[in-house]
């Protein structure tokens, strides 16, 4: 098979992204335009604003992805685009543009599931580093602002197959990070902020009741046993704030930080009392423990030797450290994408499209966005 250059386009949430990937194994460019500044004043992603920003950014982002890769439109063999899951209006911007481009250039179009993309973020980087020795199936934890899913992933000829063995029943883990940060007056998005602050607090200061996050029942293969639930811990944090009368301090912090531009870690620390830092550290400890415990229990029960941890929350340092330590003890190999490829990007979409290109699994011109597209 000669080298294949795929242009990937991703617009499912608040990042407009384009990338060129060679044969599913080398990222030639990876351009991500983040809309964080647009949504920050609202404390979360505003769908209408996301679509508008995608419309503005998509053409320059795609052009930059091509020029960074040293390619022209004509050099591209196929165009891959995220079909879902995500915000319907946001997805449509990427899909409409990809369709127009494919039509004008007379190139095939490939529809990619965003969740499959997160799994291929790990695969493309491992291949790029020359790692072709992974054992399959791999157990992939896809953990982001919209998803907390466990998949068994393996390839049959050119087709990748996924079995979903666990999912969140309510909030995704990243959503819990974002909501807890918001209620503590720490701003948006919460994950990276909590990650930085947690190391400054005592993670054992606040004990969240075990029932807030259900523990796996080892050995039994019951339906839903590897499901997650994060709304309980979010409510427990809120209750803690109320019973410890933290609200006036939170309001003070919000007002104080609203005056500052480009907040540094020192700014956050200056505005956080010990109790807040302890609460943040204890929250992160509880969430990361739960993610690691359930994933490891599922890996043992399903007898897999390879773990993937991917999606925005996979950028979390405590989560990475815990996975590395626990996997080493259990004799499992664990792989994470680089930080650039952990959060939303289009290189993962172009990489996931490559096996579909080989199998000539192309989308027809009538395909559309699927906000709740499932995988497996
Ligand atoms: O994969 P992603 O960019 O978008 C979705 O598909 O959702 O993930 C974004 C999520 C947000 O909830 C953000 O707070 C979280 O990932 N996140 C983190 C960290 N970096 C991003 N959560 C915890 N620790 C981090 N370092
Ligand atoms: Zn994502």
């Amino acid at each position: 098979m000669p080298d294949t250059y795929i242009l990937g386009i991703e617009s499912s949430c608040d990042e407009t992204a384009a990338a060129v990937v060679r044969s599913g194994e080398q990222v030639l460019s990876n351009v991500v335009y983040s809309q964080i500044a647009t949504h920050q004043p609202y404390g979360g992603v505003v769908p209408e604003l996301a679509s508008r920003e995608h419309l503005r950014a998509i053409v320059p982002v795609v052009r930059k992805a091509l020029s960074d890769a040293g390619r022209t439109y004509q050099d591209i063999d196929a165009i891959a685009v995220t079909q879902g899951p995500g915000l319907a209006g946001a997805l449509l911007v990427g899909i409409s543009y990809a369709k127009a481009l494919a039509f004008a250039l007379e190139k095939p179009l490939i529809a990619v599931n965003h969740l499959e993309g997160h799994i291929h973020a790990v695969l493309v980087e491992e291949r790029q580093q020359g790692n072709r020795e992974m054992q399959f199936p791999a157990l992939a934890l896809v953990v982001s602002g919209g998803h907390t899913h466990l998949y068994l992933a393996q390839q049959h000829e050119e087709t990748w197959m996924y079995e979903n063995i666990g999912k969140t029943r309510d909030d995704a883990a990243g959503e819990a990070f974002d909501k807890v940060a918001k209620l503590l007056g720490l701003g948006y998005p919460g994950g990276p902020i909590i990650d930085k602050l947690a190391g400054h607090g005592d993670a054992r200061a606040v004990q969240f009741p075990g029932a807030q996050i259900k523990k796996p029942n080892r050995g039994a293969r019951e339906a839903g046993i590897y499901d997650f639930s994060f709304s309980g811990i979010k409510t427990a944090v809120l209750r803690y704030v109320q019973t410890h009368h933290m609200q006036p301090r939170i309001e003070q912090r919000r007002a104080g930080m609203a005056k500052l531009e480009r907040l540094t870690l020192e700014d956050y620390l200056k505005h956080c009392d010990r109790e807040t830092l302890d609460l943040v550290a204890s929250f992160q400890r509880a969430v990361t423990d739960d993610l690691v415990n359930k994933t490891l229990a599922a890996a043992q029960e399903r007898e897999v030797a390879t773990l993937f941890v991917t999606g925005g929350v996979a950028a979390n340092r405590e989560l990475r450290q815990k996975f590395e330590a626990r996997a080493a003890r259990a004799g499992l190999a664990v792989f994470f994408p680089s930080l650039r490829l952990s959060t939303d990007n289009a290189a993962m979409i172009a990489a996931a499209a490559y096996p579909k290109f080989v199998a000539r699994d192309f989308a027809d011109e009538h395909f559309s966005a699927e906000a709740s597209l499932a995988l497996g």
Side-chain angles (χ1 to χ4, degrees):
M1 185 93 188
D3 281 347
T4 302
Y5 295 92
I6 299 184
L7 169 68
I9 296 176
E10 150 68 39
S11 69
S12 65
C13 190
D14 60 342
E15 262 102 23
T16 317
V20 179
V21 174
R22 183 182 60 76
S23 305
E25 60 180 33
Q26 191 190 4
V27 179
L28 297 181
S29 65
N30 181 33
V31 180
V32 180
Y33 167 73
S34 167
Q35 306 177 359
I36 284 179
T38 304
H39 302 288
Q40 224 150 24
Y42 306 94
V45 178
V46 183
E48 291 79 5
L49 295 184
S51 306
R52 193 190 69 188
E53 288 293 299
H54 285 308
L55 274 171
R56 274 197 196 150
I58 193 128
V59 175
V61 164
V62 168
R63 273 198 198 131
K64 182 155 171 36
L66 287 169
S67 75
D68 285 1
R71 307 275 134 188
T72 66
Y73 287 103
Q74 289 309 330
D75 297 334
I76 296 301
D77 296 295
I79 293 148
V81 65
T82 307
Q83 181 177 17
L87 301 168
L91 288 161
L92 270 177
V93 177
I95 292 173
S96 310
Y97 186 66
K99 276 184 184 176
L101 213 49
F103 179 76
L105 299 171
E106 297 181 15
K107 310 275 184 192
L109 186 61
I110 300 168
V112 175
N113 184 309
H114 181 85
L115 298 166
E116 181 173 21
H118 276 303
I119 294 171
H120 283 261
V122 178
L123 289 163
V124 67
E125 289 197 311
E126 288 306 316
R127 286 196 204 103
Q128 189 154 338
Q129 287 158 26
N131 178 7
R132 286 164 195 281
E133 300 293 304
M134 281 190 240
Q135 282 185 47
F136 291 100
L139 179 64
L141 172 67
V142 182
V143 61
S144 71
H147 312 280
T148 308
H149 280 106
L150 275 172
Y151 293 103
L152 287 170
Q154 63 188 319
Q155 196 173 14
H156 296 285
E157 295 176 353
E158 284 314 319
T159 308
W160 278 85
M161 314 282 280
Y162 307 94
E163 183 192 348
N164 181 212
I165 63 165
K167 61 181 179 315
T168 182
R169 292 184 181 178
D170 37 60
D171 292 352
E175 198 178 348
F177 271 92
D178 294 339
K179 286 179 176 170
V180 163
K182 190 174 178 181
L183 86 88
L184 293 176
L186 294 170
Y188 172 85
I193 303 162
I194 290 182
D195 187 349
K196 288 193 194 89
L197 293 178
H200 296 268
D202 175 4
R204 296 185 181 272
V206 184
Q207 295 295 322
F208 292 106
Q212 303 287 356
I213 297 174
K214 293 189 191 74
K215 293 237 156 40
N217 181 4
R218 273 180 165 226
R221 198 185 269 198
E222 297 163 17
I225 183 179
Y226 300 118
D227 280 354
F228 299 91
S229 168
F230 294 108
S231 74
I233 191 164
K234 176 196 66 189
T235 312
V237 172
L238 177 62
R239 225 177 296 122
Y240 187 92
V241 164
Q242 289 163 341
T243 54
H244 290 75
H245 311 289
M246 293 171 78
Q247 205 60 44
R249 281 175 277 158
I250 291 172
E251 291 311 328
Q252 226 177 348
R253 176 179 315 130
R254 254 195 210 113
M257 295 203 318
K259 293 188 199 123
L260 302 173
E261 277 180 30
R262 290 185 167 271
L263 293 157
T264 63
L265 176 59
E266 276 61 43
D267 293 328
Y268 283 108
L269 288 171
K270 240 185 273 164
H271 286 85
C272 285
D273 51 291
R274 172 118 321 268
E275 200 171 18
T276 303
L277 293 172
D278 288 351
L279 184 56
V280 157
S282 303
F283 162 79
Q284 181 172 285
R285 171 172 177 245
V287 172
T288 52
D289 273 350
D290 185 57
L291 291 168
V292 175
N293 287 341
K294 284 203 182 111
T295 307
L296 266 287
Q300 269 163 4
E301 197 233 325
R302 292 304 188 101
E303 296 177 350
V304 303
T306 310
L307 296 180
F308 290 0
V309 185
T310 183
V313 182
N316 187 271
R317 289 171 299 174
E318 184 171 349
L319 186 70
R320 287 188 178 223
Q321 283 156 9
K322 278 182 179 160
F323 262 114
E324 264 158 8
R326 291 278 303 276
R329 259 188 275 149
L332 305 174
V334 62
F335 301 95
F336 310 88
S338 64
L339 293 185
R340 273 294 274 171
L341 260 61
S342 291
T343 47
D344 287 351
N345 66 84
M348 68 186 198
I349 302 302
Y354 178 67
K356 297 183 203 293
F357 178 88
V358 177
R360 311 201 71 72
D361 178 7
F362 301 137
D364 74 63
E365 72 220 65
H366 302 295
F367 95 97
S368 193
E370 278 201 41
S372 313
L373 188 63
L375 179 66

